[in-house]
Amino acid sequence: MPAIDLNGDLGESYGLWRLGEDAELLPALSSVNLACGFHASDPTTMRAAVVAADGHRLAIGAHPSFPDLRGFGRTPMALPPPVVRDDVLYQLGALHAICRAEGATLRHVKPHGALYHAVAGDADVAAAVAEAVAAFDPGLPLVVPAHAATLGVLEDAGLLLVFEAFLDRGYQPDGRLLPRGRPGAVLEDAGEIVERALSLAVDGVVRAVDGETLELRPDTLCLHGDGLRSARVARAVRDALERAGVQVRPAAGALP
Amino acid sequence: MPAIDLNGDLGESYGLWRLGEDAELLPALSSVNLACGFHASDPTTMRAAVVAADGHRLAIGAHPSFPDLRGFGRTPMALPPPVVRDDVLYQLGALHAICRAEGATLRHVKPHGALYHAVAGDADVAAAVAEAVAAFDPGLPLVVPAHAATLGVLEDAGLLLVFEAFLDRGYQPDGRLLPRGRPGAVLEDAGEIVERALSLAVDGVVRAVDGETLELRPDTLCLHGDGLRSARVARAVRDALERAGVQVRPAAGALP
Amino acid sequence: MPAIDLNGDLGESYGLWRLGEDAELLPALSSVNLACGFHASDPTTMRAAVVAADGHRLAIGAHPSFPDLRGFGRTPMALPPPVVRDDVLYQLGALHAICRAEGATLRHVKPHGALYHAVAGDADVAAAVAEAVAAFDPGLPLVVPAHAATLGVLEDAGLLLVFEAFLDRGYQPDGRLLPRGRPGAVLEDAGEIVERALSLAVDGVVRAVDGETLELRPDTLCLHGDGLRSARVARAVRDALERAGVQVRPAAGALP
Amino acid sequence: MPAIDLNGDLGESYGLWRLGEDAELLPALSSVNLACGFHASDPTTMRAAVVAADGHRLAIGAHPSFPDLRGFGRTPMALPPPVVRDDVLYQLGALHAICRAEGATLRHVKPHGALYHAVAGDADVAAAVAEAVAAFDPGLPLVVPAHAATLGVLEDAGLLLVFEAFLDRGYQPDGRLLPRGRPGAVLEDAGEIVERALSLAVDGVVRAVDGETLELRPDTLCLHGDGLRSARVARAVRDALERAGVQVRPAAGALP
C-alpha cells in the first residue's frame, strides 16, 4: 500500500498578528512544521501551535529560519555557516522545550524559506544545518527538496533525510523548481494539483515543464497554508489520496 | 565542612559587542549563569560560553530574561504571566540544545535582571517562572534571593530552590536589598566584601544596614562580572573561603 | 458651526502580517496616527500608509510607542525618561522622512498604547515625550486624553495639546476610563456610540458610569480600527455628525 | 592648497555595550558617520554621538545599514530595492530628528558595511539608496568608494557624490579593494598608512598591489575606529597631512 506524508507550515502568527488558517489546514495534514521565532511565531504562539498539532496527532517538526522577522525568513542572507549552525540549534532547542512542556515530541526538522533554499543549494550551509541537527539528535530527520544539489553533503552527515516535493510549483527537467515569475512556475488549478499529488504519491513522478517525466520519489508533499484557498485544496488532495488507497502518514514514521 | 557556591553571570556579549571579563572570572567560580539571547548573547556567543564554562568544569545554568536586548533585561516590563512562562521555556530549551551539542548539562536556572526581581516580588511572575522550569525539568533548581517575598508560591511549585545572597549590596533588616542610590546600597571595599563572604558561607549571616545580624543561610553567593575590578575581588573571595576551609562547589550538587 | 476631528490608528501591519482594515476606515476619518516601527509597521508599510492617508487628504500624525513589537506596544515598560524622549524623537524623525519623500506633512503626535497611558499618568514620561516633540517641532500638537493627570506638566512644556475622547469606553466621574474588564468598560452598541459622538462633538460632554454628565470638551474622537465592525461604526459616526451639522476636520487645523 | 576630509565611523555602541574609542578618535577627524540603529546604536547612543561630534565641530553624516544588529550590518542581505530605499529613508529621518533636537545638521550619507558594498556593486541597490537620499534632501552628498562599479547609476540620480579611499586596504589595479584574507589586503604599518594618506591627499593616487600607480582622486579618507591602535594612527595621519600643508576639512564643505 503506497504511503505519503502531507506537511504544512503552521504557527506563523507573531504577537497580535495572525497568519494562515491553521485550524482549517490541520485536518488535511499528517505533519506540521512550526516556526521557531526567527521568521515568525513567538514562544506563546509556538505553544498554541504545539497544542493544536498534538491535538490532531500530527508529527511536529521544527521550521528554523534565518533571523528575519520583517522579511518572514525569505531574505537570502550570507551568514557564516557556524552562525547558521548555532541559530538552528537554538531554534530546535526552543521548540523542543515547548514540546516537552506539552508532552509532545519533535519528529523532524524542515528549514524555512531562504534557509531551505540555501540548504538545498549551498554545501556549507547544508553542512552547518546537518551538523546542528545531528548534534541535537542524530535520529531527527531533515526535510530537503528531492532535487537538492547538496545531497552528497547531506548524506555524508549521516542524517535521516526526508525528500519533499511541491504540488503547486513547476519543475525543471533537472529537478529544480522553476523560479517564481516564469510561466508555469506556480500551479493554481486545484484539479492539476490533486492529479500531481496522486502521481507523486503512487508513482513518485511529476511532469516537468518540458513535458518529460521526472522521478522525484518524495516522502512528503508540501501543502502551502497562506490563503483560504489552500485549506480547500489541501483537503481535496488528502481525500483524493485516500480514495486512491494511499496512506497519509508522517514521513518520519516510515524511516528505519 | 562548610560549603558554598560562587556564581557569576557570563556570556553577556552580543554579536560584535563584548561585555565582561569571562576568562578572568571563570577560575573563581563554581557555577555560571549564561544569557539566552533575550537580554544578551546570541547562539554563537552561547556556544562559546558553554565551551568555556564546561572547560572549567563549572555548573552551567540558564539566565533567562525579559525580551530586552537594548535595556539589558533591566527594564521592568508588565508582561502577562503566561507570556513570561513561555519566554522562559523558550530560553531554557535554546540553551539546553547548545549544551547538548557540546556534551554539557544544564544544572540550574537563575532569572536575570528585572525578571529576577519580579520573581522575588510578584507572585504571578514567580508562579509563571516556576511553572516553566517544572515543565522543562522538575529536577532543575531555581536560584532566588534568600529573602524572596514569593517564597510561598515558589515552594508550592515543588521546585528545588537555591537561595542566593549578594556580597556587594546593602541589606535591609527584613532581608530585602537596599535600593541602589541609597547610602550603603553598594559595597565597594574588597576587604568588606571578602569578610561578608566568610560570614555568609560559614555562619549564614550578614550585617544589615541597621547593624543587626540578619540570617540568610544562602546556598550561593553572586559575584558580579561587570568590571576589571570584579575578577580580582572574585578571586580574593574564593581564596579567602578556601583558606577558611569552606568548600566552593555548585549549589545544585548539594541538593537532594 | 461645531467641529470635531475623527482619528484612527493606521499602518499597523508588519512585514508580511496584515492588521486593520485601513482602506475601509480611511473615508470615515479626518486624521490618522501612523505606527513608526516600534509597536508595528516597518519603513515600507509606513510609506504605504502615508500614501494612503495623503491620498484621502487626512492629517497625518506620528504614533510613537515603547519598543515592543511582540506586545504591540501594550506592555507597560519602566524605561528611563531620557530613553523615552530619544525613542520618540527617533520615531518622529523616521516618519517625517517618509512623509517628506511623499510630499506629505506631519501634523500631530499621538503616543500609542502603554506609552499613551504613561503620558497621561506619569509626569516624568509626559515631560520626556513633550520634550521630544518640542525639540523636533514646537508647533506639532500632542494628542492626550482629555482627562490626563499630567495636564500641568504637559501645559508647562508649552506644546499645543489636542484633547481626545473615546467613543467606546466607559468613563469614571473623574474623567478617567473605566478599566477593561469592569462592567460598562467597553461599549459595543453602535447606536450608543453614535449618540455619544454627537453629545461629545456638539456639547463636549459624556455621561459617566455613575450617570452624571462629565465635561470633556474633546478636540478629537478616537475610532478604533481593529475589527470589521469598526469601519461600519466609524462611517455611522461620521454620517451622524455630518447630518447634525458638525464639521469633521483635523484638530490641528483648528489650533492657533 | 590641497584639502581632504578624514572620516570615521562613530556612535557604534548599543545599549550597555560599548564599541570604539570615540573620544580618542574625534580630534583626528573632520567628519563622522553615525550609526542609525540598524547595525548599531540606539536613539540615546545616537544623541550622545551627535553631541560629541557637534562639540568637535565635525560634519555629521548618517551611516545607514541593512537591518542586522547581531551581524553589525556586515551580513550581505538580498533585500528588495524598495525595502532598502525605505529603510535608508527611515534611518536618515531618525538621525535627522536627533540632530535637530541638538541644533546640529546632517551633512552627508555614507552607507555602512554590506550596504556600502552593495551600493558600490549592485546597480539596483545603488539606485534605491540614491532615491532615498534624493527624496530626503537632494543636496545631501552620498559617500561612495572612488572605484564604485555603479558610478553611472549614482551619477544619473543627480546626487552630489563624495569619493572615498581607504588607507589600510590593498587596491587591485582596477580600483577595487583586495578581498580580506589575501596577502596585502590589510595594511598594518602606521608609516605606510601615513605615506598613503599623503599620496592620496596631495596627488590623488595610491600604489595598487601590482605596483602600478592608481588614480583615485578621493574627497575623503576613511579612518577605522575599531581598536586602540586606530586613534593613534588617525592622529599620525592628521598630523602628517597638516605638516604637509594639506587642509583637513569636511568633503561636503567643498561641494558646489
Side-chain angles (χ1 to χ4, degrees):
Chain A
M1 178 181 181
I4 198 81
D5 178 42
L6 294 179
N7 81 78
D9 303 342
L10 273 94
E12 299 192 321
S13 293
Y14 174 64
L16 206 70
W17 292 282
R18 307 288 93 191
L19 191 73
E21 35 160 0
D22 293 15
E24 289 73 24
L25 194 55
L26 281 168
L29 303 176
S30 46
S31 69
V32 291
N33 319 301
L34 301 190
C36 301
F38 274 44
H39 77 280
S41 203
D42 54 74
T44 301
T45 299
M46 287 163 71
R47 179 188 284 264
V50 165
V51 169
D54 203 46
H56 282 78
R57 307 189 161 279
L58 305 182
I60 294 174
H63 205 28
S65 167
F66 288 140
D68 175 33
L69 266 182
R70 200 258 304 251
F72 203 67
R74 293 177 178 168
T75 310
M77 295 176 73
L79 288 168
V83 169
V84 174
R85 177 198 61 195
D86 297 337
D87 280 3
V88 169
L89 207 41
Y90 183 98
Q91 294 174 75
L92 293 185
L95 182 59
H96 169 252
I98 291 168
C99 284
R100 196 195 275 197
E102 292 296 338
T105 305
L106 214 51
R107 300 284 185 197
H108 66 273
V109 178
K110 176 180 166 182
H112 167 82
L115 179 58
Y116 182 83
H117 296 298
V119 165
D122 181 316
D124 292 337
V125 174
V129 171
E131 186 187 338
V133 176
F136 185 69
D137 179 355
L140 207 54
L142 181 69
V143 179
V144 295
H147 54 78
T150 56
L151 211 55
V153 169
L154 292 165
E155 284 172 347
D156 287 353
L159 282 181
L160 299 171
L161 297 179
V162 169
F163 295 108
E164 180 172 49
F166 296 89
L167 297 178
D168 62 349
R169 295 296 305 279
Y171 276 93
Q172 297 180 283
D174 64 357
R176 287 180 302 131
L177 297 177
L178 208 60
R180 286 176 194 274
R182 298 263 280 279
V186 178
L187 281 68
E188 309 231 340
D189 181 71
E192 200 175 351
I193 288 171
V194 166
E195 188 183 356
R196 182 184 271 205
L198 289 168
S199 164
L200 280 164
V202 176
D203 302 313
V205 300
V206 71
R207 191 173 303 274
V209 286
D210 65 350
E212 292 299 305
T213 296
L214 177 68
E215 191 165 318
L216 290 177
R217 302 206 166 283
D219 304 302
T220 189
L221 303 177
C222 181
L223 291 174
H224 286 121
D226 286 356
L228 184 61
R229 198 183 131 278
S230 67
R232 226 178 44 234
V233 173
R235 289 181 189 194
V237 166
R238 178 160 192 148
D239 288 349
L241 287 170
E242 292 182 338
R243 274 197 307 268
V246 177
Q247 187 194 2
V248 177
R249 53 102 194 88
L255 292 167
Chain B
M1 180 181 179
I4 197 83
D5 177 41
L6 294 179
N7 81 78
D9 302 343
L10 273 94
E12 299 192 321
S13 293
Y14 174 63
L16 205 71
W17 292 282
R18 307 290 93 189
L19 191 75
E21 35 160 1
D22 292 14
E24 290 72 25
L25 195 55
L26 282 168
L29 303 176
S30 46
S31 68
V32 291
N33 319 301
L34 301 190
C36 302
F38 274 44
H39 76 282
S41 204
D42 55 72
T44 301
T45 298
M46 287 163 72
R47 178 188 283 263
V50 165
V51 168
D54 203 46
H56 282 77
R57 304 188 162 278
L58 306 180
I60 295 173
H63 204 28
S65 167
F66 288 141
D68 175 32
L69 266 182
R70 200 259 304 252
F72 202 67
R74 293 177 177 168
T75 310
M77 295 175 74
L79 289 168
V83 169
V84 174
R85 178 198 60 194
D86 297 336
D87 280 4
V88 169
L89 206 42
Y90 184 97
Q91 293 175 75
L92 294 185
L95 182 59
H96 169 253
I98 290 169
C99 284
R100 194 196 277 197
E102 292 296 337
T105 306
L106 214 51
R107 299 285 185 196
H108 65 273
V109 178
K110 176 179 166 182
H112 167 81
L115 179 58
Y116 182 83
H117 296 299
V119 165
D122 181 315
D124 292 337
V125 174
V129 170
E131 186 186 339
V133 176
F136 184 68
D137 179 356
L140 207 55
L142 180 68
V143 180
V144 295
H147 54 78
T150 55
L151 211 53
V153 169
L154 292 166
E155 285 172 345
D156 287 353
L159 281 182
L160 298 171
L161 296 179
V162 169
F163 295 108
E164 179 172 50
F166 297 89
L167 297 178
D168 62 349
R169 296 296 306 278
Y171 275 93
Q172 297 181 283
D174 63 357
R176 287 180 304 129
L177 297 176
L178 208 61
R180 287 175 194 275
R182 298 263 280 279
V186 177
L187 281 67
E188 309 231 339
D189 181 71
E192 200 175 349
I193 288 171
V194 166
E195 190 183 354
R196 182 183 271 205
L198 288 168
S199 165
L200 280 164
V202 176
D203 303 314
V205 300
V206 71
R207 192 173 302 276
V209 286
D210 65 350
E212 292 299 305
T213 295
L214 176 67
E215 191 165 316
L216 290 177
R217 302 207 167 281
D219 304 302
T220 189
L221 304 176
C222 181
L223 291 173
H224 285 122
D226 285 357
L228 185 60
R229 195 182 132 280
S230 68
R232 226 177 46 234
V233 173
R235 289 182 190 194
V237 166
R238 179 161 191 147
D239 288 348
L241 288 170
E242 291 183 338
R243 274 196 308 269
V246 177
Q247 188 194 0
V248 176
R249 53 100 196 89
L255 292 168
Chain C
M1 177 183 181
I4 199 80
D5 178 41
L6 294 179
N7 82 78
D9 302 343
L10 274 94
E12 298 191 321
S13 293
Y14 174 63
L16 205 70
W17 292 283
R18 310 287 93 192
L19 191 74
E21 37 162 357
D22 292 15
E24 290 71 25
L25 194 56
L26 282 168
L29 304 176
S30 46
S31 68
V32 290
N33 319 300
L34 301 190
C36 301
F38 275 44
H39 76 282
S41 205
D42 55 72
T44 301
T45 299
M46 287 164 72
R47 178 188 284 264
V50 165
V51 168
D54 204 46
H56 281 79
R57 306 190 162 279
L58 305 181
I60 294 173
H63 204 29
S65 167
F66 288 140
D68 175 32
L69 266 182
R70 200 258 305 249
F72 203 67
R74 292 177 179 168
T75 310
M77 295 176 72
L79 288 168
V83 168
V84 174
R85 177 199 61 196
D86 298 336
D87 280 2
V88 169
L89 206 41
Y90 184 97
Q91 293 174 76
L92 294 184
L95 181 60
H96 169 253
I98 290 169
C99 284
R100 196 196 276 196
E102 292 296 337
T105 305
L106 213 52
R107 299 287 184 195
H108 66 273
V109 178
K110 176 180 165 181
H112 167 81
L115 179 58
Y116 182 83
H117 296 298
V119 165
D122 180 316
D124 292 337
V125 174
V129 170
E131 186 187 338
V133 176
F136 185 69
D137 179 355
L140 206 55
L142 181 68
V143 179
V144 295
H147 54 77
T150 56
L151 211 56
V153 169
L154 292 165
E155 285 173 346
D156 287 353
L159 282 181
L160 299 171
L161 297 179
V162 168
F163 295 109
E164 180 172 49
F166 296 89
L167 297 178
D168 61 351
R169 295 296 305 278
Y171 276 93
Q172 298 182 282
D174 63 358
R176 288 180 302 130
L177 297 177
L178 207 61
R180 287 176 195 275
R182 298 262 280 278
V186 177
L187 283 67
E188 308 232 341
D189 181 74
E192 200 175 350
I193 289 171
V194 166
E195 189 183 355
R196 183 185 270 204
L198 288 168
S199 164
L200 280 164
V202 175
D203 303 312
V205 300
V206 70
R207 190 173 304 274
V209 285
D210 66 348
E212 290 300 304
T213 296
L214 176 68
E215 191 165 318
L216 290 177
R217 303 208 165 280
D219 304 301
T220 189
L221 303 176
C222 181
L223 291 174
H224 286 122
D226 286 355
L228 184 61
R229 197 183 130 278
S230 67
R232 226 178 45 234
V233 174
R235 289 181 189 193
V237 166
R238 178 160 191 148
D239 288 349
L241 288 171
E242 291 183 338
R243 275 196 307 270
V246 178
Q247 187 194 0
V248 176
R249 53 100 194 89
L255 293 167
Chain D
M1 177 181 181
I4 197 82
D5 178 41
L6 294 178
N7 81 78
D9 302 343
L10 273 94
E12 299 191 321
S13 294
Y14 174 64
L16 206 72
W17 292 283
R18 307 289 92 192
L19 191 75
E21 35 161 0
D22 292 14
E24 290 72 25
L25 195 56
L26 281 168
L29 303 176
S30 45
S31 69
V32 292
N33 319 301
L34 300 189
C36 301
F38 274 44
H39 76 281
S41 205
D42 55 73
T44 300
T45 298
M46 287 163 71
R47 179 187 283 264
V50 165
V51 169
D54 204 46
H56 281 79
R57 305 188 162 280
L58 305 182
I60 294 173
H63 205 29
S65 167
F66 288 139
D68 176 32
L69 266 182
R70 200 259 303 251
F72 202 68
R74 292 177 178 167
T75 310
M77 295 175 73
L79 289 167
V83 169
V84 174
R85 179 198 60 196
D86 297 337
D87 280 3
V88 168
L89 206 41
Y90 184 97
Q91 293 175 75
L92 294 185
L95 182 59
H96 169 253
I98 290 169
C99 284
R100 196 196 275 196
E102 292 296 337
T105 306
L106 214 51
R107 299 287 184 194
H108 65 273
V109 179
K110 176 179 165 182
H112 167 81
L115 180 58
Y116 183 82
H117 295 299
V119 165
D122 181 316
D124 291 337
V125 174
V129 171
E131 186 186 338
V133 176
F136 185 70
D137 179 356
L140 207 54
L142 181 69
V143 180
V144 295
H147 54 78
T150 55
L151 211 55
V153 169
L154 292 165
E155 284 172 347
D156 287 353
L159 281 182
L160 298 171
L161 297 179
V162 169
F163 295 108
E164 180 172 48
F166 296 89
L167 297 178
D168 62 350
R169 294 297 306 278
Y171 275 94
Q172 297 181 282
D174 65 357
R176 287 179 303 131
L177 297 176
L178 208 62
R180 286 176 196 273
R182 298 265 281 278
V186 177
L187 281 67
E188 307 231 341
D189 181 73
E192 200 175 350
I193 289 171
V194 166
E195 189 183 356
R196 184 184 268 204
L198 288 168
S199 165
L200 280 164
V202 176
D203 302 314
V205 300
V206 71
R207 191 172 304 275
V209 286
D210 65 350
E212 292 298 305
T213 296
L214 176 68
E215 192 164 316
L216 290 176
R217 303 207 166 281
D219 304 302
T220 190
L221 303 176
C222 181
L223 291 173
H224 286 121
D226 285 356
L228 185 61
R229 196 182 132 280
S230 68
R232 226 178 44 236
V233 174
R235 288 181 190 194
V237 165
R238 178 160 192 148
D239 288 349
L241 288 170
E242 291 183 338
R243 275 197 308 271
V246 177
Q247 188 194 1
V248 177
R249 53 100 196 88
L255 293 167

